[in-house]
Amino acid sequence: VSAVTWEDLAEFAKGSKGVVLPVGSLEQHGPHLPLGTDTLIVETVAQRVAEETGWLVAPSVSYGYKPQPGSSGGNGFPGTCSLDGYTLILLVRDVVREFLRHRIKRIMILDGHYENSLFLNEAVDLAIRESGRGDAKVVVARWFDLVSPGFFKELFSDGFEGMAVEHASKVETSLVLAIDEDLVKKNRMRDDAPLRRENYVVLPEQAEFIPQSGVLTHVFPSSKELGQKLLQKIVEECVKILKKEFS
Ligand code: ZN
Ligand code: MN
């Protein structure tokens, strides 16, 4: 979207295509991955989806909701900069409402950060209601929900314990390797886990729920090839969704 002119955007809005809005986070991803990992992943997927479909990619929302100890290692690490829930809701509501105002009525939000989920649904709900555009359709997709647990298990074998604990671990490491190998500090990769996990939440954050390195489970096996396969799969699933929901 940033690269087109207003006239071109107005023309684009008359057509049958829409806009992908990547939403990520800025947060620790262990000693070996960049803070912008979640954003990098959704931007890359969005770009490839756009190339295949002719949709446009909107500038990313590069901040997300506060990482939770059990799914992302909490908020203590330097560089983890997050939004309060209502800030995220209002930020995304405004962006979506602006696109709707300019008659872009097909939008896919591509979410890459585990904790953003319902705030994004809320943002879209408010935007659609406030804009009064009943003809709009917005899809909110979290890339890690587009891939079946079976696919993950096949790629990563027994070490895969579900996306809830995959933070900065083999799935994200493989994806970043596939996107830009140089961004991964390979000599700093190591498995880690918190001392404690519970099926309830304790606030304020307790140290024993936080893994020392910020990595929540196994970093191995990860590789560029695994990342490429996964990336390909995610892009395919996104393209399928666009076809299913918007044609
Ligand atoms: Zn992440
Ligand atoms: Mn995240």
Side-chain angles (χ1 to χ4, degrees), residues 27 29 38 167 172:
E27 59 168 336
H29 271 79
D38 289 353
H167 182 77
E172 288 184 315

Side-chain angles (χ1 to χ4, degrees), residues 24-29 37-39 65 67 71-72 112-116 144 167-168 172:
S25 69
L26 189 68
E27 59 168 336
Q28 73 80 17
H29 271 79
T37 291
D38 289 353
T39 310
Y65 180 62
S71 49
S72 304
H113 175 57
Y114 202 80
E115 286 79 4
N116 285 342
F144 36 86
H167 182 77
E172 288 184 315

Side-chain angles (χ1 to χ4, degrees), residues 7 15 40 42 49 79 84 101 106 116 133 135 137 140-141 143 154-155 159 167 172 216 222 239-240 246:
E7 289 176 318
L40 177 71
V42 280
V49 169
D84 289 342
R101 189 165 67 84
R106 298 173 192 84
N116 285 342
R133 294 203 70 94
D135 56 344
K137 192 172 191 181
V140 184
W143 72 256
E154 206 173 298
L155 278 190
H167 182 77
E172 288 184 315
L216 277 178
S222 52
V239 171
K240 268 193 224 163
F246 298 102

Side-chain angles (χ1 to χ4, degrees), residues 32-142:
H32 65 294
L33 294 179
L35 297 169
T37 291
D38 289 353
T39 310
L40 177 71
I41 292 169
V42 280
E43 272 179 357
T44 304
V45 171
Q47 207 54 55
R48 296 197 188 178
V49 169
E51 280 160 21
E52 282 194 30
T53 59
W55 277 43
L56 289 177
V57 181
S60 306
V61 175
S62 321
Y63 300 87
Y65 180 62
K66 295 158 197 160
Q68 300 297 295
S71 49
S72 304
N75 293 276
F77 294 88
T80 295
C81 299
S82 304
L83 303 175
D84 289 342
Y86 48 73
T87 313
L88 178 62
I89 291 172
L90 296 182
L91 170 60
V92 174
R93 178 203 64 180
D94 288 2
V95 173
V96 171
R97 202 174 51 190
E98 287 298 89
F99 280 121
L100 297 179
R101 189 165 67 84
H102 297 304
R103 303 195 144 59
I104 300 282
K105 45 191 194 301
R106 298 173 192 84
I107 298 172
M108 177 191 233
I109 295 185
L110 189 58
D111 179 20
H113 175 57
Y114 202 80
E115 286 79 4
N116 285 342
S117 169
L118 291 179
F119 299 106
L120 301 182
N121 296 9
E122 172 69 352
V124 171
D125 182 53
L126 294 177
I128 290 176
R129 279 201 279 161
E130 291 172 20
S131 70
R133 294 203 70 94
D135 56 344
K137 192 172 191 181
V138 181
V139 166
V140 184
R142 314 205 287 170

